[in-house]
Amino acid sequence: MRVVVAPDSFKGSATADDAARALAGGWLAHRPGDDVRLLPLADGGEGTLDAFAAARPDAERRTVTVPGPDGRPVAAAWLLLPDRTAVLELARSSGLPLMASPDPLGAHTYGLGAVARAALDAGATRLVVGLGGSASTDGGTGALRALGLRLHDDLGRDLPLGGAALAGLARIDATDLRPPPPGGVRLLVDVTAPLAGPAGAAAVFGPQKGAQPADVTLLDDALRRFAGLAGGDPDEPGAGAAGGTAYGLAAVWGAAIVPGATTIADLVGLPGALAGADVVLTGEGRFDETSLTGKVVGSLLDSAAAAGVRVAVAAGQVAGPVPGSVAAAVSLTELAGTVDAALSDPTRWLVEAGGVLADRLSAR
């Protein structure tokens, strides 16, 4: 059989690339004669860069030191493809794990803009930016300021970085803003949240970044103030991604907000891989009803169904009924006996899962 192994990351335990290698190893141990292709995927959040790097070995990996979300320097990697497309991942420069401690009001995305500036300096003609895992709720203003935008209060003073400072915004000066590359900017998002309101960036994601109820109110009002001056469409699905970074880059820099899972799948060549496949193996940390709402596994199920390819799923946990579009599913927790056992050695249980799925699909 021709098998495509295309999992998402198992967050906190295995990257998509590691998961793909382990699942493939288990499958081949039971069916050594099969043609197995690895194609790790992502949805625009953490793991986006790794997914591109695995699928595009011709990509050049570069690193630049930029201010992190709390101002301390971080080394942020990005990719330059042969066609001069640059692939950036916000989590590498402005992600929550880079914070010494949460700072929901002062954290910023300046580092992301600095990486974008480095990519443009290197000759990139198109940017693909994975948005996810951000530490801040600054509407992407930090990134835009790294690209030359200036934000002033009512006395003409430059605002400090961070989302809370936007409450004092009176004027936006784009005179020195660097123009976007000629091939445009695509923002890969894995949420449909608008910029503000009860389903917006501050209300839904702010608490994950340390925001208390009063902070959420302040940040939501600050984002609304920014939107009142920047224009654009703050209600566009996905505008609230990465603390509103999607909105800011779309409204001020003309970037396009696109669904991460399907866009990445297209860019790394999933449609072509499925065209010649008999089976696709996928997986994620938890497979449940939310997996079918625009995430990697759900998007892959749709693509595989259209291509007439059987799908098998390995997940850390399988919750709820498995849809009929899945030919076989296996839970690492059930194989290991407990959640802790599965998390303590995910590679072992992913290999085991690959073998179990090979046997189940061979019997059908």
Side-chain angles (χ1 to χ4, degrees):
M1 287 194 289
R2 289 169 295 180
V3 182
V4 175
V5 185
D8 194 359
S9 63
F10 285 60
K11 288 183 173 56
S13 56
T15 67
D17 188 44
D18 289 341
R21 292 176 187 278
L23 287 169
W27 182 282
L28 287 168
H30 288 238
R31 294 183 56 89
D34 285 350
D35 178 7
V36 176
R37 177 179 176 183
L38 308 188
L39 200 67
L41 298 176
D43 58 13
E46 296 96 331
T48 295
L49 213 65
D50 290 336
F52 272 95
R56 296 293 303 269
D58 54 354
E60 180 183 346
R61 191 181 190 94
R62 299 193 178 191
T63 302
V64 60
T65 299
V66 300
D70 59 5
R72 295 179 305 142
V74 299
W78 59 281
L79 299 179
L80 185 63
L81 307 186
D83 68 355
R84 312 309 291 177
T85 294
V87 182
L88 283 58
E89 183 180 311
L90 178 145
R92 301 272 179 160
S93 59
S94 308
L96 186 58
L98 301 174
M99 299 285 290
S101 61
D103 182 7
L105 302 182
H108 56 77
T109 54
Y110 191 95
L112 174 65
V115 178
R117 191 176 62 216
L120 295 176
D121 288 344
T125 57
R126 180 173 69 148
L127 300 184
V128 175
V129 186
L131 298 183
S134 74
S136 63
T137 310
D138 75 345
T141 53
L144 290 164
R145 291 176 71 169
L147 291 162
L149 188 73
R150 297 187 69 183
L151 304 178
H152 301 295
D153 64 15
D154 56 5
L155 296 178
R157 299 172 299 193
D158 288 321
L159 294 181
L161 291 168
L166 296 175
L169 179 64
R171 188 169 68 89
I172 296 174
D173 180 0
T175 304
D176 296 323
L177 178 65
R178 189 157 182 172
V185 181
R186 301 172 79 181
L187 308 174
L188 311 177
V189 305
D190 62 352
V191 300
T192 58
L195 176 66
V204 176
F205 306 110
Q208 301 171 15
K209 305 169 187 181
Q212 300 301 309
D215 300 331
V216 168
T217 300
L218 172 59
L219 290 167
D220 192 69
D221 289 344
L223 290 174
R224 291 178 188 273
R225 188 174 186 88
F226 174 46
L229 292 170
D233 183 5
D235 295 322
E236 179 179 0
T245 297
Y247 164 77
L249 293 179
V252 179
W253 218 33
I257 301 173
V258 298
T262 54
T263 303
I264 291 173
D266 288 343
L267 290 173
V268 302
L270 180 66
L274 290 179
D278 300 299
V279 174
V280 58
L281 303 186
T282 189
E284 60 184 345
R286 180 182 173 87
F287 182 72
D288 56 26
E289 66 276 3
T290 68
S291 300
L292 308 180
T293 59
K295 293 189 177 181
V296 166
V297 174
S299 297
L300 188 144
L301 285 172
D302 293 339
S303 298
V309 179
R310 292 186 296 167
V311 179
V313 174
Q317 297 181 69
V318 177
V322 176
S325 55
V326 175
V330 62
S331 161
L332 305 191
T333 297
E334 291 184 4
L335 292 177
T338 67
V339 172
D340 288 343
L343 288 172
S344 68
D345 194 356
T347 300
R348 172 189 173 185
W349 298 110
L350 282 164
V351 171
E352 183 78 11
V356 169
L357 292 173
D359 292 342
R360 290 185 184 176
L361 269 70
S362 296
R364 297 191 178 190

